[in-house]
Amino acid sequence: MEFEARHSPQLIEVRMTGRLEFTDHDSLPDIVALLDRPGLEQFMLDLSDLAFIDSAGLGMLLILQEEAEQRNAKLVVRGPRDDVRRSLDLARIGDILTIEY
Amino acid sequence: MTSGVPWTWLGSVTSSRLNIESALTGPALSPARAFCVVRDRVPADVAARAASRFGLAKEGAGSSRSTAAMLVAEASRDTVRRALDQNSFLTVELTELEDTTGAIDGDWLGAPPVEHGFYLSLTTGTAYGMQCAVLVCDELARRGVLRPERRGNIELCLHEAIANAIVHGNMGIPSSAKEKPEGYRLFGQLLKERLGDHDVRQRRLDIFARWSGDSLNIAVVDQGGGFDTTALPEQADGGAHSGRGFLFMRALAKRVSVTDGGRCTVLHFDL
C-alpha cells in the first residue's frame, strides 16, 4: 500500500492506493503521526483507489479510528469500491466506522 | 568447481513425505514425476543431490511435464511464476543452505502428484510480501480452473489462510499482540524481528491446490506451533483489531477445515 496526504487546518486527507494487507503494519505509525496536528477535526481516509484490503487491513482502519478519537478527530472512510467494499461489507465495518460510498 | 544445470530434467521421483492429500479428494496419478531446475546457476552437484534425495531414476526416465517438479533458488515473484508456467506439479524453493551446500535437506512437505493440481513450497522469507494468493490465483486462472467471477472471493480466502500461516504460524506472532495499548506498534516490531530471524525465514509455507470438474480445494500448511482450533471465533468482536480472517474464510468458502493442530487449513470451493 502507498499513501499520500494533504491537509487543511481542520482536515487531513489520506489517499491509499494498491493493497492494504498484513505486510503494511509498518506504514501505520507514519499515518498515525499525521494526526498529531493541533485543531484537527476530521480525518478523511480515501479508499477509492485501493484495490484490496484483508482482515488485517480492516484492523488497521479500526486502529486509525481509535487514534483519531483520542485526538478528538472524526474518521470518515470514503469511496471503497469493488473488492474493498466487499471486505468492508462482509465484516460489517459500516456498523463501526463512518463510510461514505 | 561445479557447472550450471540449465532447465535440466533430472529423472523421476517415487517418494513423498506427507499425506496432506487425505484432506483433499480424488485419485492420484502415477507417482513418477520429473525434476528440473529453474535457474541456470544451480550447481550440478545440487541437482545431483536433489536427484538422490528424491530417489530419482535416470535423467528423463518416465517424466512428463504434467507431473514435473521445479526447484527454484533465490525465488523472486517472476522466478516462481516462470516455474509455475512449466505446468509442473511441484514447485519448490531451495533454501539458502540447499543452494550453497547442495544439502537438499529442507523439510518441505510435498504430496503425491495429481493431474489436476499443483504444489508450491516457499520459505517464509520469500513468501512474505510476495502476495502468494495472487500468484496462486493467477496460476489457477492460467490453467483454466478459476473464472474471473469466482476469483475475488477465492483469492481473499486464500490470502487470509496464507497470512495466518505466515504471521501466526511460522512467525509465531499471536493476534492478541494487536489488542494491547498501541498494540500495532508491538505487532509491527514483532514482524520486523521475526523477519530478521534466519530460522523463521527458512520455515516453509506449502500450498497444495487440487481441483475436479466443479470443485477446488486448496491446502495451506505452515511449520509453526499450531493453535487451539476450538477457540476460533464464531463472529468478530465489535471493534477488535483481529480475528476476522477465519470469518472471511467461513463466509466465502464452501467449507473450511483445519487439521494438524492448526498447521493445515483446507479451503473447499465450488467452481
Side-chain angles (χ1 to χ4, degrees), chain B residues 24-40:
Chain B
L24 311 176
T25 56
L29 290 179
S30 159
R33 61 195 179 205
F35 268 80
C36 73
V37 177
V38 172
R39 200 187 56 174
D40 60 6

Side-chain angles (χ1 to χ4, degrees), chain B residues 17-236:
Chain B
R17 299 184 58 209
L18 178 74
N19 235 355
I20 71 165
E21 84 281 5
S22 61
L24 311 176
T25 56
L29 290 179
S30 159
R33 61 195 179 205
F35 268 80
C36 73
V37 177
V38 172
R39 200 187 56 174
D40 60 6
R41 77 171 185 80
V42 172
D45 60 339
V46 173
R49 290 182 196 189
S52 175
R53 168 179 166 176
F54 298 111
L56 304 180
K58 289 182 180 178
E59 183 172 330
S63 66
S64 74
R65 285 205 172 256
S66 65
T67 56
M70 314 291 291
L71 301 178
V72 185
E74 292 182 358
S76 68
R77 188 179 177 82
D78 287 344
T79 310
V80 173
R81 201 181 288 279
R82 194 156 59 99
L84 291 169
D85 278 349
Q86 304 305 307
N87 295 326
S88 59
F89 173 71
L90 275 166
T91 299
V92 178
E93 180 195 8
L94 294 174
T95 62
E96 183 182 323
L97 180 67
E98 289 165 335
D99 192 27
T100 54
T101 68
I104 310 296
D105 58 358
D107 49 355
W108 59 274
L109 302 173
V114 295
E115 183 177 6
H116 299 300
F118 61 85
Y119 198 108
L120 174 64
S121 179
L122 299 172
T123 63
T124 297
T126 294
Y128 188 90
M130 190 179 266
Q131 295 169 355
C132 296
V134 175
L135 202 63
V136 169
C137 286
D138 282 351
E139 183 61 15
L140 288 168
R142 192 185 69 81
R143 297 193 188 203
V145 180
L146 197 52
R147 289 175 288 127
E149 61 268 29
R150 292 288 291 133
R151 175 164 180 156
N153 288 348
I154 290 174
E155 184 179 308
L156 178 59
C157 283
L158 179 58
H159 174 95
E160 295 293 346
I162 290 170
N164 282 347
I166 290 175
V167 176
H168 306 312
N170 286 347
M171 289 183 162
I173 303 174
S175 296
S176 57
K178 290 186 192 173
E179 306 302 335
K180 297 177 180 176
E182 297 221 326
Y184 68 94
R185 294 187 193 275
L186 171 63
F187 197 81
Q189 182 63 32
L190 288 171
L191 280 175
K192 194 174 294 184
E193 284 177 10
R194 303 290 158 85
L195 279 172
D197 184 318
H198 178 269
D199 290 343
V200 170
R201 292 182 65 85
Q202 297 293 299
R203 288 180 189 152
R204 290 203 163 271
L205 171 76
D206 288 49
I207 303 168
F208 181 14
R210 187 172 186 172
W211 58 89
S212 61
D214 57 359
S215 68
L216 167 67
N217 301 323
I218 308 176
V220 177
V221 187
D222 66 64
Q223 295 183 325
F227 64 93
D228 179 6
T229 57
T230 63
L232 288 172
E234 291 298 322
Q235 57 185 13

Side-chain angles (χ1 to χ4, degrees), chain A residues 16-46:
Chain A
M16 292 181 167
T17 56
R19 298 165 60 91
L20 180 60
E21 54 182 70
F22 69 100
T23 53
D24 288 308
H25 269 94
D26 53 352
S27 296
L28 209 49
D30 295 335
I31 299 176
V32 171
L34 294 170
L35 304 179
D36 288 328
R37 302 178 64 84
L40 182 67
E41 294 177 3
Q42 190 173 75
F43 172 26
M44 179 73 77
L45 200 51
D46 185 347

